[in-house]
Amino acid sequence: MKHANRSFARLLIGFACAASFGFGIASPAHSADESSRKVGFLMPLTGGAGKLGEMMMQGSTLAVEEANTQHGGAGGRNIQLLPEDSQATARVSLAGYRRLTDYEKSEVIITGWTPVVSAVAPLAQNAGVMLLSASTASPALRGISPYFQSSWMFDDETVGLILPYAKENLGVERLGIMSVVNDLGTALSNAVKKEWSNLGGTLVGEEVHQQDESNFRPFLLKLLAAKPDAIYITGNMGRQSAQIVRQARELGYRGKFLSFGAFEDPEVEALGDLADGAYYASPSFEVNSDAPKTKAFVEAFEAKYGRLPNVHQANHYDLIYLYKTVVDALTEKGVEVTGTAFRDYMVNEMPTYTGASGVYRFDYSDGSVLRPTSLKTLEGGKFVKVADLVR
């Protein structure tokens, strides 16, 4: 009965996605036109990262609608985006991956989050399925598979950008770390400690918490007793980051918080003034940019959703158009679109890609990317750019 309830709930989620996000989208239980090109979307749509995953799907959905109605789809066929809820966990994602590949025959899957990529990358490599990600920050994933390519910078790179700025411009001398127990948390913590030592800063302590923790007060009390000027948050769940900030403020902490791009989350945005003094490094994305692709995306997103987009929505909009670019080129060459052909084209023909979020410079040797990066903060209830970060 429990399994049946889960299956029924998944079916309802599929109907909701199809109804809410428009054509080009169908639930896994109800495949659309068999002639369409099926792009998997294996992302968290429920759970702690669900709100962020839904935002990311909005960007991809808008691009699918535009591509299908205005640009002939990809390679002359409509694109069908197939959402599968990974819940940002390995166990759930494996079932979603199997549905997308065994049942839907997806050759390219948009995915993210370290546990998910770690779980499905070996399977994708064996099957020749290409994985694209704009939501994977852990340097632990460098070189995990030739069939994995990130368009989001690994955060050992951004640590080397935000910490020098914090020391030189924000007056941070004493740094504490709130680290989550997972691959990303460990890798980020190690990168922070190495960079901070190189900068001659003082590390006052590190507190390590579990992925499902909600009461951070015991950890914070220990850390705050060491009087840090700033606390670096390594977690990638917006809900936890927001809880850490809120609970630290309730305990009287008035110092700064530092983090990376996952900090740009609706749960954090809802903190309002409590997040004053929180800074994070994120790939640059300017809603007021005059760059043609950026301007067109912002106008289309605002027209559809009634609000301005953020970097996560822009990144996932770009992934669909990157997919279209590759498929159009393969079709023109008369090459069958497979995961292997897709990967080979990117490696041989696409050292860079320019989208709504700017320029992506890919390193196919380890699946990483370099992008212009900004320091951002929350101001007036909105995430805003403070400075460009340059090493």
Side-chain angles (χ1 to χ4, degrees):
M1 179 63 69
K2 189 179 293 185
H3 176 74
N5 288 340
R6 284 200 303 268
S7 298
F8 182 66
R10 189 162 57 237
L11 182 62
L12 290 180
I13 289 173
F15 280 129
C17 288
S20 300
F21 295 107
F23 55 92
I25 309 293
S27 76
H30 292 268
S31 294
D33 183 357
E34 287 300 319
S35 69
S36 62
R37 298 191 184 277
K38 299 179 179 183
V39 179
F41 192 86
L42 183 61
M43 298 288 281
L45 301 176
T46 61
K51 289 185 179 179
L52 192 56
E54 288 177 358
M55 287 195 310
M56 293 169 174
M57 191 160 77
Q58 289 171 348
S60 287
T61 299
L62 175 60
V64 167
E65 292 181 354
E66 285 183 359
N68 288 346
T69 60
Q70 301 175 26
H71 307 296
R77 291 160 54 184
N78 275 354
I79 303 169
Q80 182 186 1
L81 192 66
L82 300 171
E84 279 289 344
D85 186 6
S86 72
Q87 295 183 12
T89 69
R91 179 182 61 82
V92 176
S93 66
L94 285 170
Y97 171 85
R98 288 300 189 191
R99 282 190 291 274
L100 289 172
T101 55
D102 296 350
Y103 178 64
E104 299 291 358
K105 308 301 181 185
S106 298
E107 299 284 358
V108 177
I109 296 175
I110 294 171
T111 189
W113 273 260
T114 305
V116 176
V117 175
S118 297
V120 304
L123 302 178
Q125 182 171 340
N126 287 339
V129 173
M130 187 67 193
L131 303 177
L132 300 176
S133 177
S135 54
T136 305
S138 175
L141 295 178
R142 284 183 185 275
I144 190 170
S145 167
Y147 283 82
F148 170 78
Q149 179 59 49
S150 181
S151 66
W152 183 272
M153 284 175 63
F154 293 139
D155 271 292
D156 53 349
E157 301 282 358
T158 58
V159 161
L161 296 173
I162 191 172
L163 291 187
Y165 187 95
K167 194 170 191 300
E168 296 169 15
N169 301 92
L170 300 178
V172 177
E173 292 292 339
R174 298 170 60 81
L175 182 68
I177 304 174
M178 283 290 287
S179 186
V180 64
V181 181
N182 60 26
D183 287 342
L184 173 60
T186 300
L188 272 183
S189 174
N190 290 338
V192 168
K193 285 183 279 193
K194 180 179 179 180
E195 180 69 21
W196 199 240
S197 175
N198 291 339
L199 292 170
T202 300
L203 183 69
V204 301
E206 177 182 14
E207 290 297 320
V208 180
H209 62 84
Q210 298 297 321
Q211 296 183 74
D212 58 353
E213 188 62 65
S214 60
N215 180 15
F216 298 95
R217 291 175 182 84
F219 308 101
L220 288 166
L221 283 169
K222 293 179 185 178
L223 201 55
L224 298 185
K227 301 186 183 309
D229 299 321
I231 298 172
Y232 192 101
I233 299 173
T234 72
N236 63 345
M237 297 290 189
R239 181 178 302 171
Q240 282 194 331
S241 295
Q243 288 169 333
I244 290 170
V245 173
R246 181 182 296 280
Q247 291 171 25
R249 295 302 190 216
E250 290 171 350
L251 291 171
Y253 178 63
R254 295 294 176 263
K256 296 175 175 62
F257 294 94
L258 305 174
S259 195
F260 62 107
F263 199 77
E264 190 165 317
D265 185 280
E267 302 269 3
V268 176
E269 192 171 27
L271 291 172
D273 293 345
L274 288 177
D276 285 354
Y279 299 87
Y280 63 99
S282 173
S284 297
F285 169 67
E286 300 294 331
V287 294
N288 298 319
S289 171
D290 288 329
K293 288 187 176 181
T294 307
K295 190 173 182 179
F297 162 66
V298 171
E299 290 175 353
F301 189 95
E302 191 170 18
K304 179 174 177 61
Y305 295 108
R307 64 185 184 279
L308 293 173
N310 61 31
V311 65
H312 303 300
Q313 290 152 340
N315 288 343
H316 286 78
Y317 176 91
D318 282 348
L319 283 185
I320 294 297
Y321 273 104
L322 183 152
Y323 171 84
K324 172 179 166 54
T325 299
V326 175
V327 171
D328 284 348
L330 291 176
T331 303
E332 186 174 348
K333 293 173 178 286
V335 176
E336 180 184 359
V337 179
T338 65
T340 298
F342 192 100
R343 174 193 174 276
D344 289 347
Y345 181 87
M346 286 192 70
V347 171
N348 296 319
E349 305 290 343
M350 192 178 281
T352 66
Y353 177 76
T354 301
S357 280
V359 179
Y360 302 79
R361 300 184 183 281
F362 299 116
D363 184 343
Y364 297 110
S365 68
D366 63 3
S368 66
V369 69
L370 290 177
R371 297 173 57 181
T373 303
S374 298
L375 182 76
K376 300 180 77 173
T377 190
L378 190 64
E379 188 176 282
K382 301 293 181 184
F383 293 110
V384 296
K385 175 181 172 180
V386 176
D388 293 315
L389 292 176
V390 181
R391 184 126 186 173

